[in-house]
Amino acid sequence: MANAPPAPSTPLRRHGRTVSDSPIQIKESGSNQLNTRKREREDRFACYTKREMQGKFMGPISPQDFLEQFFGQEAFLDNTIPPSPWNSATEELFTKVPLDKQEDGMYSPLAAAINQCIDSSFTYVPTENDTDIRKMDNCPDIKPDGTLYEDTRCDDRIANSDSEFSDMLTEIKYHPDDPFDDSGKSFERDSISGRRIRGQLIAYAVSQFAHQFRTHVFMVFIRRDTARLIRWDRAGAVVTKSFSYTKTPHLADFYSRYTRATPQARGHDTTVQRANSTDGNTSKAREKLRLDPSLPIFKFKVWDDPKNIIWEDEEAAKVEEEQERTRLFYGSKPLFSAVQSVNGRCTRVFEVFDPESGKCVTLKDSWRVASPAIKPEGKIYARLAAKQVRNILTCLMAGDVNPSFIDHRTRTQMYSPDEDFRSHIHYRLVFKEVCEGNITRFKDTKELITVLRDALTSHHDASTKCSLLHRDVSTGNILIYHDKDTGTRCGLLSDWEMSKDLNNLGTARQSERTGTWQFISAALLKQGTSSISTPLFHTIRDDLESFFHVLSWTALQYTHHDLAGDQLNNLLHDVYDVVKYEQQKTLGGGGKIAAMHDRTMKEYVGFVQSAFRDVIVDLEDTFAARYEKDPDMEAVNRVREFISRPGLPEEYRKEFEHHIDYQRQIRRDRLLSSDWMMKQFEDSLKSDDWPTKALVRVEHVIPDYDPNGIRVSKRASEVSTQQLQQISLSERGILRGGFKQQRTTYRRTTTTRSTSSDFSTQSLIQEEE
């Protein structure tokens, strides 16, 4: 793009806002893929609008400013804005759109008017009756009313509505409700229909981002005889004022300029290009990657930042700019995609072929947070490697994508009055290792513990050698690597972009922070509730607890135990998935605390007696101490003094060592470093107590539930519609609350557990519901 304006400077100019850590924000990419139960379409729309895109719609700006800023001269190859298509004939076509009928009557007349404005290389297709053929797990189906296609990019399109090839979407509404308010109050109209429509628009943008290589996407929202123009990127959306498309040329001009602009201006990531069959590396890549002939091959361009090896930013700034270093890699569809939201890092991982080495490597594509307080991940990997941190990926290249081009940096933040508004920069890394998958792909439980131990070793090395805390431990970030040269399999801890200096944990670096909900510590999830009102920041205890949740969640899903399908569904949902939204806060953790307090893994789940069960039970007992009554330190110190006396009979020593306050303090002290947990893993692997039933991997069939709590089988043939209709309301209630009811029954019958804790498990559950 010629004469592109300079890249915007980061808007995050203030750091150290508070002594607490950034507030947690649940996002679809951070929880939805692991949720036990599907969420209905309307709830997904509500999550999009109220929980993760709230406050990220910037506007209203004038439509003329919108056109000038996003489709000015620099958006065209010859630096010339095309002439406006607005004339009496075009005006007449838009005026003919009927407003005295329902929405169905608007589609064809609008299509005729739009096709009058667009370039001949594009086609506008009415798609109001066509559901998008590209499906996303646990995401609502989408059915945009109009889809714009560039004919030369759509050779493989097989349906009217296909977000893998759609260039731009149009949504049309007949009813008078507007999702935005131009009056100067809250721009995001807080009404049921307003939230629903915004959620619908977000779902459209998510689908395009997920199925294409885009830096940004545009959209048109038409409401009766008015329209709004929208530009989406990884920071949010910029929205115009509502304007009349029958009395002003803005809509006609937009379609005209859009279809004549460069692919980069329209939001296509031109650093990823479809490889031509005449390219000799295409056939090599297809063979090395073992790809089906029908799959496309793409060329990915990666930039390498020579300053990665310089840790201190001040020193890096003194280094003279070196010549740009780039390389091409060949790949196809992603191995992993976290693109279930518009805003955020939106990570995708690809296995790619490296023509220089002739080997397959891993490419990670994401949008890093644009803050000088958060170092790029490539720099962190260079630091970890220099300090010889074990069990990490080998980073071969890393850098911002096309640093000279503005649209590989988000632009929404430029329209926000909030200088803490989070922005992002497009970023790619290439790793030597191609992993088998994440920790959930373990072969047997010994390998599960081995992989956890290896990841914890990496975590320990990073904290002791580099003073870095990972802060994003989850199943997706603990990988299994099979070294084909040696035949060994090991665990690697990946995704270090959210890591933080241990000496600066109490200072927030950004206005919000995300993570994988199921594995975040209960203390962080409950921050702000009556149970935990003191501001907290993320410490090593939270990371260690995340390792425990990874182990227990994975064990529940893939190892032998006594829980039936319904019981397992209830347990996973109540402990790991439940979210509460209160006063713009995302809260949770009550289910985790309750489960630890009740020693659920020990007493209720029924893991096979083994060294594997022992390590889970020991960890559960230890982490439960975080959420129990603070020990009486005077009593603890008296016990310490007493048992340290020389000549004390052993029976007295053992008796006093069982003092409840002393034991609770011991369990809390274990969480000050990873040493104790490392020893538990090592001891379990050395044990001979690994019976076959405890060792083998099990794929549990977990029943699905519809949003009303009705069980629906994963195999449709097992349950008929008539059977579903016969399920009573009372049975539905049991299904929804089964775990809590069973757990309460257990508490009434057990007599072996101490009840000295000062909190009510039932109150924690009620607080979140």
Side-chain angles (χ1 to χ4, degrees), residues 531-577:
S531 303
I532 300 179
S533 56
T534 304
L536 300 174
F537 54 85
H538 197 129
T539 68
I540 190 170
R541 294 180 300 172
D542 299 296
D543 268 14
L544 296 178
E545 187 179 325
S546 291
F547 276 104
F548 165 65
H549 293 313
V550 166
L551 172 59
S552 56
W553 184 90
T554 305
L556 288 169
Q557 298 262 10
Y558 302 110
T559 72
H560 261 300
H561 51 68
D562 293 342
L563 298 188
D566 292 335
Q567 295 170 314
L568 182 55
N569 183 297
N570 287 319
L571 179 59
L572 289 168
H573 173 75
D574 289 355
V575 175
Y576 300 104
D577 297 345

Short mmCIF file of all heavy atoms in Angstrom, two decimals, residues 531-577:
data_model
loop_
_atom_site.label_atom_id
_atom_site.label_comp_id
_atom_site.label_asym_id
_atom_site.label_seq_id
_atom_site.Cartn_x
_atom_site.Cartn_y
_atom_site.Cartn_z
N SER A 531 -16.19 -13.71 49.69
CA SER A 531 -15.26 -14.71 50.20
C SER A 531 -13.82 -14.22 50.14
O SER A 531 -13.02 -14.48 51.04
CB SER A 531 -15.39 -16.02 49.40
OG SER A 531 -16.70 -16.50 49.43
N ILE A 532 -13.47 -13.52 49.05
CA ILE A 532 -12.11 -13.01 48.88
C ILE A 532 -12.24 -11.55 48.43
O ILE A 532 -12.37 -11.27 47.24
CB ILE A 532 -11.32 -13.83 47.85
CG1 ILE A 532 -11.21 -15.29 48.31
CG2 ILE A 532 -9.92 -13.25 47.65
CD1 ILE A 532 -10.47 -16.19 47.34
N SER A 533 -12.22 -10.64 49.36
CA SER A 533 -12.42 -9.23 49.04
C SER A 533 -11.11 -8.46 48.90
O SER A 533 -11.07 -7.39 48.31
CB SER A 533 -13.28 -8.56 50.12
OG SER A 533 -12.68 -8.73 51.39
N THR A 534 -10.03 -9.01 49.45
CA THR A 534 -8.74 -8.34 49.36
C THR A 534 -8.16 -8.48 47.96
O THR A 534 -8.15 -9.58 47.41
CB THR A 534 -7.75 -8.95 50.37
OG1 THR A 534 -8.31 -8.89 51.67
CG2 THR A 534 -6.43 -8.21 50.35
N PRO A 535 -7.72 -7.38 47.33
CA PRO A 535 -7.13 -7.48 45.99
C PRO A 535 -5.97 -8.45 45.97
O PRO A 535 -5.12 -8.47 46.86
CB PRO A 535 -6.69 -6.05 45.70
CG PRO A 535 -7.53 -5.20 46.58
CD PRO A 535 -7.76 -6.00 47.82
N LEU A 536 -5.95 -9.30 44.94
CA LEU A 536 -4.90 -10.30 44.80
C LEU A 536 -4.13 -10.07 43.52
O LEU A 536 -4.62 -9.43 42.59
CB LEU A 536 -5.52 -11.70 44.76
CG LEU A 536 -6.35 -12.15 45.97
CD1 LEU A 536 -6.98 -13.50 45.66
CD2 LEU A 536 -5.49 -12.26 47.21
N PHE A 537 -2.93 -10.59 43.46
CA PHE A 537 -2.22 -10.65 42.20
C PHE A 537 -1.72 -12.07 42.00
O PHE A 537 -1.61 -12.85 42.95
CB PHE A 537 -1.08 -9.62 42.12
CG PHE A 537 -0.10 -9.66 43.24
CD1 PHE A 537 0.98 -10.53 43.20
CD2 PHE A 537 -0.24 -8.82 44.34
CE1 PHE A 537 1.90 -10.58 44.24
CE2 PHE A 537 0.68 -8.85 45.38
CZ PHE A 537 1.75 -9.73 45.33
N HIS A 538 -1.45 -12.40 40.77
CA HIS A 538 -1.11 -13.76 40.37
C HIS A 538 0.27 -14.13 40.93
O HIS A 538 1.26 -13.46 40.66
CB HIS A 538 -1.10 -13.83 38.85
CG HIS A 538 -1.16 -15.22 38.30
ND1 HIS A 538 -2.07 -15.60 37.34
CD2 HIS A 538 -0.43 -16.33 38.56
CE1 HIS A 538 -1.88 -16.86 37.03
NE2 HIS A 538 -0.88 -17.33 37.77
N THR A 539 0.34 -15.21 41.71
CA THR A 539 1.60 -15.65 42.30
C THR A 539 1.89 -17.09 41.90
O THR A 539 1.10 -17.73 41.20
CB THR A 539 1.55 -15.57 43.84
OG1 THR A 539 0.62 -16.55 44.33
CG2 THR A 539 1.12 -14.18 44.29
N ILE A 540 2.99 -17.61 42.38
CA ILE A 540 3.36 -18.98 42.04
C ILE A 540 2.32 -19.97 42.56
O ILE A 540 2.09 -21.03 41.97
CB ILE A 540 4.77 -19.31 42.59
CG1 ILE A 540 5.25 -20.66 42.02
CG2 ILE A 540 4.79 -19.30 44.12
CD1 ILE A 540 6.70 -20.96 42.30
N ARG A 541 1.65 -19.64 43.67
CA ARG A 541 0.62 -20.54 44.18
C ARG A 541 -0.50 -20.73 43.17
O ARG A 541 -1.07 -21.82 43.06
CB ARG A 541 0.05 -20.00 45.49
CG ARG A 541 1.04 -19.97 46.64
CD ARG A 541 0.40 -19.43 47.89
NE ARG A 541 -0.09 -18.07 47.69
CZ ARG A 541 -0.84 -17.40 48.57
NH1 ARG A 541 -1.20 -17.98 49.70
NH2 ARG A 541 -1.22 -16.17 48.32
N ASP A 542 -0.83 -19.67 42.44
CA ASP A 542 -1.89 -19.77 41.44
C ASP A 542 -1.46 -20.64 40.27
O ASP A 542 -2.26 -21.43 39.75
CB ASP A 542 -2.28 -18.37 40.95
CG ASP A 542 -2.79 -17.50 42.08
OD1 ASP A 542 -3.84 -17.84 42.65
OD2 ASP A 542 -2.14 -16.50 42.41
N ASP A 543 -0.21 -20.52 39.85
CA ASP A 543 0.28 -21.39 38.78
C ASP A 543 0.30 -22.84 39.21
O ASP A 543 -0.08 -23.74 38.45
CB ASP A 543 1.69 -20.96 38.35
CG ASP A 543 1.67 -19.96 37.21
OD1 ASP A 543 0.59 -19.41 36.92
OD2 ASP A 543 2.73 -19.73 36.60
N LEU A 544 0.76 -23.10 40.44
CA LEU A 544 0.80 -24.48 40.93
C LEU A 544 -0.61 -25.05 41.04
O LEU A 544 -0.83 -26.23 40.71
CB LEU A 544 1.51 -24.54 42.28
CG LEU A 544 2.99 -24.14 42.27
CD1 LEU A 544 3.57 -24.21 43.69
CD2 LEU A 544 3.79 -25.04 41.33
N GLU A 545 -1.55 -24.24 41.48
CA GLU A 545 -2.94 -24.72 41.53
C GLU A 545 -3.47 -25.02 40.13
O GLU A 545 -4.23 -25.97 39.92
CB GLU A 545 -3.85 -23.69 42.22
CG GLU A 545 -5.26 -24.22 42.43
CD GLU A 545 -6.17 -23.23 43.14
OE1 GLU A 545 -5.69 -22.50 44.02
OE2 GLU A 545 -7.38 -23.20 42.80
N SER A 546 -3.04 -24.23 39.14
CA SER A 546 -3.45 -24.51 37.76
C SER A 546 -2.93 -25.87 37.30
O SER A 546 -3.63 -26.60 36.59
CB SER A 546 -2.93 -23.41 36.83
OG SER A 546 -3.59 -22.18 37.06
N PHE A 547 -1.71 -26.22 37.70
CA PHE A 547 -1.20 -27.56 37.38
C PHE A 547 -2.11 -28.63 37.99
O PHE A 547 -2.38 -29.66 37.34
CB PHE A 547 0.23 -27.73 37.90
CG PHE A 547 1.30 -27.21 36.99
CD1 PHE A 547 1.95 -26.01 37.25
CD2 PHE A 547 1.67 -27.93 35.86
CE1 PHE A 547 2.94 -25.53 36.41
CE2 PHE A 547 2.67 -27.46 35.01
CZ PHE A 547 3.30 -26.25 35.28
N PHE A 548 -2.56 -28.42 39.21
CA PHE A 548 -3.46 -29.38 39.85
C PHE A 548 -4.78 -29.48 39.08
O PHE A 548 -5.29 -30.59 38.85
CB PHE A 548 -3.73 -28.99 41.30
CG PHE A 548 -4.90 -29.72 41.90
CD1 PHE A 548 -4.88 -31.10 42.08
CD2 PHE A 548 -6.05 -29.03 42.28
CE1 PHE A 548 -5.97 -31.77 42.62
CE2 PHE A 548 -7.13 -29.68 42.81
CZ PHE A 548 -7.10 -31.07 42.98
N HIS A 549 -5.35 -28.35 38.67
CA HIS A 549 -6.61 -28.38 37.93
C HIS A 549 -6.43 -29.05 36.57
O HIS A 549 -7.34 -29.75 36.10
CB HIS A 549 -7.17 -26.97 37.78
CG HIS A 549 -7.61 -26.35 39.06
ND1 HIS A 549 -8.38 -27.02 39.99
CD2 HIS A 549 -7.37 -25.12 39.59
CE1 HIS A 549 -8.61 -26.23 41.03
NE2 HIS A 549 -8.01 -25.08 40.81
N VAL A 550 -5.29 -28.85 35.94
CA VAL A 550 -5.01 -29.54 34.68
C VAL A 550 -5.01 -31.05 34.91
O VAL A 550 -5.61 -31.82 34.14
CB VAL A 550 -3.65 -29.10 34.09
CG1 VAL A 550 -3.19 -30.05 32.98
CG2 VAL A 550 -3.75 -27.68 33.55
N LEU A 551 -4.35 -31.50 35.98
CA LEU A 551 -4.29 -32.92 36.29
C LEU A 551 -5.67 -33.49 36.60
O LEU A 551 -6.08 -34.51 36.03
CB LEU A 551 -3.35 -33.16 37.46
CG LEU A 551 -3.32 -34.59 38.04
CD1 LEU A 551 -2.91 -35.60 36.98
CD2 LEU A 551 -2.39 -34.66 39.25
N SER A 552 -6.41 -32.84 37.48
CA SER A 552 -7.71 -33.38 37.90
C SER A 552 -8.72 -33.36 36.76
O SER A 552 -9.46 -34.33 36.54
CB SER A 552 -8.24 -32.62 39.12
OG SER A 552 -8.34 -31.24 38.85
N TRP A 553 -8.77 -32.25 36.00
CA TRP A 553 -9.70 -32.15 34.87
C TRP A 553 -9.39 -33.21 33.82
O TRP A 553 -10.29 -33.89 33.30
CB TRP A 553 -9.62 -30.75 34.27
CG TRP A 553 -10.59 -30.45 33.16
CD1 TRP A 553 -11.83 -29.92 33.27
CD2 TRP A 553 -10.37 -30.66 31.75
NE1 TRP A 553 -12.41 -29.77 32.03
CE2 TRP A 553 -11.54 -30.23 31.09
CE3 TRP A 553 -9.32 -31.17 31.00
CZ2 TRP A 553 -11.67 -30.28 29.69
CZ3 TRP A 553 -9.45 -31.23 29.62
CH2 TRP A 553 -10.61 -30.79 28.99
N THR A 554 -8.11 -33.39 33.51
CA THR A 554 -7.71 -34.38 32.52
C THR A 554 -7.98 -35.79 33.02
O THR A 554 -8.44 -36.66 32.26
CB THR A 554 -6.21 -34.22 32.18
OG1 THR A 554 -5.97 -32.87 31.77
CG2 THR A 554 -5.80 -35.17 31.07
N ALA A 555 -7.72 -36.04 34.29
CA ALA A 555 -7.97 -37.36 34.87
C ALA A 555 -9.46 -37.70 34.84
O ALA A 555 -9.85 -38.84 34.56
CB ALA A 555 -7.44 -37.42 36.30
N LEU A 556 -10.30 -36.72 35.12
CA LEU A 556 -11.75 -36.96 35.06
C LEU A 556 -12.20 -37.30 33.65
O LEU A 556 -13.09 -38.13 33.45
CB LEU A 556 -12.50 -35.73 35.57
CG LEU A 556 -12.43 -35.46 37.07
CD1 LEU A 556 -12.98 -34.08 37.39
CD2 LEU A 556 -13.20 -36.53 37.84
N GLN A 557 -11.59 -36.69 32.67
CA GLN A 557 -12.01 -36.89 31.29
C GLN A 557 -11.48 -38.19 30.70
O GLN A 557 -12.16 -38.82 29.88
CB GLN A 557 -11.49 -35.72 30.43
CG GLN A 557 -12.05 -34.36 30.81
CD GLN A 557 -13.21 -33.95 29.94
OE1 GLN A 557 -13.74 -34.74 29.17
NE2 GLN A 557 -13.62 -32.70 30.06
N TYR A 558 -10.26 -38.64 31.11
CA TYR A 558 -9.59 -39.67 30.33
C TYR A 558 -8.98 -40.82 31.15
O TYR A 558 -8.12 -41.54 30.63
CB TYR A 558 -8.46 -39.03 29.50
CG TYR A 558 -8.94 -37.94 28.58
CD1 TYR A 558 -8.62 -36.60 28.83
CD2 TYR A 558 -9.71 -38.23 27.45
CE1 TYR A 558 -9.05 -35.59 27.99
CE2 TYR A 558 -10.16 -37.22 26.62
CZ TYR A 558 -9.83 -35.90 26.88
OH TYR A 558 -10.25 -34.90 26.06
N THR A 559 -9.38 -41.01 32.41
CA THR A 559 -8.85 -42.14 33.18
C THR A 559 -9.98 -42.89 33.87
O THR A 559 -11.12 -42.41 33.95
CB THR A 559 -7.82 -41.67 34.23
OG1 THR A 559 -8.49 -40.99 35.30
CG2 THR A 559 -6.77 -40.75 33.62
N HIS A 560 -9.66 -44.04 34.42
CA HIS A 560 -10.66 -44.89 35.08
C HIS A 560 -11.12 -44.27 36.40
O HIS A 560 -10.32 -43.85 37.21
CB HIS A 560 -10.07 -46.27 35.37
CG HIS A 560 -10.46 -47.31 34.36
ND1 HIS A 560 -11.76 -47.67 34.11
CD2 HIS A 560 -9.69 -48.06 33.53
CE1 HIS A 560 -11.79 -48.62 33.17
NE2 HIS A 560 -10.54 -48.85 32.80
N HIS A 561 -12.45 -44.25 36.61
CA HIS A 561 -13.05 -43.88 37.89
C HIS A 561 -14.49 -44.37 37.91
O HIS A 561 -14.95 -45.00 36.95
CB HIS A 561 -12.97 -42.37 38.13
CG HIS A 561 -13.47 -41.52 37.00
ND1 HIS A 561 -14.78 -41.47 36.63
CD2 HIS A 561 -12.81 -40.70 36.15
CE1 HIS A 561 -14.93 -40.63 35.62
NE2 HIS A 561 -13.74 -40.15 35.29
N ASP A 562 -15.20 -44.10 39.00
CA ASP A 562 -16.53 -44.68 39.20
C ASP A 562 -17.68 -43.82 38.70
O ASP A 562 -18.83 -44.24 38.80
CB ASP A 562 -16.75 -44.93 40.71
CG ASP A 562 -15.84 -46.01 41.25
OD1 ASP A 562 -15.30 -46.79 40.43
OD2 ASP A 562 -15.66 -46.08 42.48
N LEU A 563 -17.43 -42.63 38.19
CA LEU A 563 -18.52 -41.74 37.83
C LEU A 563 -19.18 -42.15 36.52
O LEU A 563 -18.50 -42.43 35.53
CB LEU A 563 -18.03 -40.30 37.71
CG LEU A 563 -17.46 -39.66 38.97
CD1 LEU A 563 -17.22 -38.17 38.73
CD2 LEU A 563 -18.39 -39.85 40.16
N ALA A 564 -20.52 -42.16 36.55
CA ALA A 564 -21.29 -42.41 35.33
C ALA A 564 -21.35 -41.13 34.51
O ALA A 564 -20.92 -40.05 34.95
CB ALA A 564 -22.69 -42.88 35.70
N GLY A 565 -21.91 -41.22 33.31
CA GLY A 565 -21.93 -40.08 32.40
C GLY A 565 -22.56 -38.84 32.98
O GLY A 565 -22.00 -37.74 32.91
N ASP A 566 -23.76 -38.98 33.57
CA ASP A 566 -24.44 -37.82 34.13
C ASP A 566 -23.66 -37.23 35.29
O ASP A 566 -23.54 -36.01 35.43
CB ASP A 566 -25.85 -38.20 34.61
CG ASP A 566 -26.77 -38.56 33.45
OD1 ASP A 566 -26.51 -38.09 32.34
OD2 ASP A 566 -27.73 -39.33 33.68
N GLN A 567 -23.15 -38.10 36.16
CA GLN A 567 -22.39 -37.61 37.31
C GLN A 567 -21.13 -36.87 36.85
O GLN A 567 -20.79 -35.82 37.39
CB GLN A 567 -22.00 -38.79 38.20
CG GLN A 567 -23.18 -39.50 38.85
CD GLN A 567 -22.74 -40.79 39.52
OE1 GLN A 567 -22.00 -41.59 38.94
NE2 GLN A 567 -23.20 -41.00 40.73
N LEU A 568 -20.46 -37.42 35.85
CA LEU A 568 -19.25 -36.79 35.35
C LEU A 568 -19.58 -35.45 34.71
O LEU A 568 -18.86 -34.46 34.91
CB LEU A 568 -18.56 -37.72 34.35
CG LEU A 568 -17.25 -37.24 33.74
CD1 LEU A 568 -16.25 -36.88 34.84
CD2 LEU A 568 -16.67 -38.29 32.81
N ASN A 569 -20.66 -35.39 33.96
CA ASN A 569 -21.07 -34.14 33.35
C ASN A 569 -21.33 -33.08 34.40
O ASN A 569 -20.85 -31.94 34.29
CB ASN A 569 -22.33 -34.36 32.50
CG ASN A 569 -22.79 -33.12 31.77
OD1 ASN A 569 -23.15 -32.12 32.40
ND2 ASN A 569 -22.79 -33.16 30.46
N ASN A 570 -22.07 -33.45 35.45
CA ASN A 570 -22.38 -32.49 36.51
C ASN A 570 -21.13 -32.02 37.24
O ASN A 570 -20.98 -30.83 37.54
CB ASN A 570 -23.35 -33.13 37.51
CG ASN A 570 -24.76 -33.24 36.95
OD1 ASN A 570 -25.24 -32.33 36.29
ND2 ASN A 570 -25.41 -34.36 37.20
N LEU A 571 -20.22 -32.95 37.51
CA LEU A 571 -19.00 -32.59 38.23
C LEU A 571 -18.14 -31.63 37.41
O LEU A 571 -17.70 -30.59 37.90
CB LEU A 571 -18.22 -33.84 38.58
CG LEU A 571 -16.88 -33.64 39.31
CD1 LEU A 571 -17.11 -32.92 40.63
CD2 LEU A 571 -16.19 -34.97 39.54
N LEU A 572 -17.92 -31.95 36.15
CA LEU A 572 -17.10 -31.09 35.29
C LEU A 572 -17.73 -29.71 35.14
O LEU A 572 -17.04 -28.69 35.18
CB LEU A 572 -16.93 -31.74 33.91
CG LEU A 572 -16.01 -32.97 33.87
CD1 LEU A 572 -16.16 -33.69 32.53
CD2 LEU A 572 -14.56 -32.57 34.10
N HIS A 573 -19.04 -29.68 34.98
CA HIS A 573 -19.72 -28.39 34.80
C HIS A 573 -19.65 -27.55 36.07
O HIS A 573 -19.28 -26.38 36.04
CB HIS A 573 -21.17 -28.63 34.40
CG HIS A 573 -21.99 -27.37 34.36
ND1 HIS A 573 -21.88 -26.45 33.36
CD2 HIS A 573 -22.91 -26.88 35.24
CE1 HIS A 573 -22.70 -25.44 33.60
NE2 HIS A 573 -23.32 -25.67 34.73
N ASP A 574 -20.03 -28.15 37.20
CA ASP A 574 -20.14 -27.38 38.44
C ASP A 574 -18.79 -26.92 38.96
O ASP A 574 -18.67 -25.84 39.53
CB ASP A 574 -20.84 -28.22 39.52
CG ASP A 574 -22.33 -28.41 39.25
OD1 ASP A 574 -22.82 -27.81 38.27
OD2 ASP A 574 -22.98 -29.15 40.00
N VAL A 575 -17.76 -27.73 38.77
CA VAL A 575 -16.45 -27.39 39.31
C VAL A 575 -15.67 -26.46 38.38
O VAL A 575 -15.05 -25.49 38.83
CB VAL A 575 -15.63 -28.67 39.61
CG1 VAL A 575 -14.21 -28.30 40.05
CG2 VAL A 575 -16.32 -29.49 40.68
N TYR A 576 -15.73 -26.72 37.07
CA TYR A 576 -14.81 -26.03 36.16
C TYR A 576 -15.46 -25.01 35.23
O TYR A 576 -14.76 -24.12 34.73
CB TYR A 576 -14.06 -27.07 35.31
CG TYR A 576 -13.24 -28.02 36.14
CD1 TYR A 576 -13.67 -29.33 36.37
CD2 TYR A 576 -12.05 -27.61 36.72
CE1 TYR A 576 -12.92 -30.20 37.15
CE2 TYR A 576 -11.29 -28.48 37.50
CZ TYR A 576 -11.74 -29.77 37.71
OH TYR A 576 -11.01 -30.62 38.49
N ASP A 577 -16.76 -25.11 34.98
CA ASP A 577 -17.36 -24.27 33.93
C ASP A 577 -18.19 -23.11 34.43
O ASP A 577 -18.40 -22.14 33.69
CB ASP A 577 -18.26 -25.13 33.02
CG ASP A 577 -17.49 -26.19 32.27
OD1 ASP A 577 -16.25 -26.11 32.22
OD2 ASP A 577 -18.13 -27.13 31.75
#
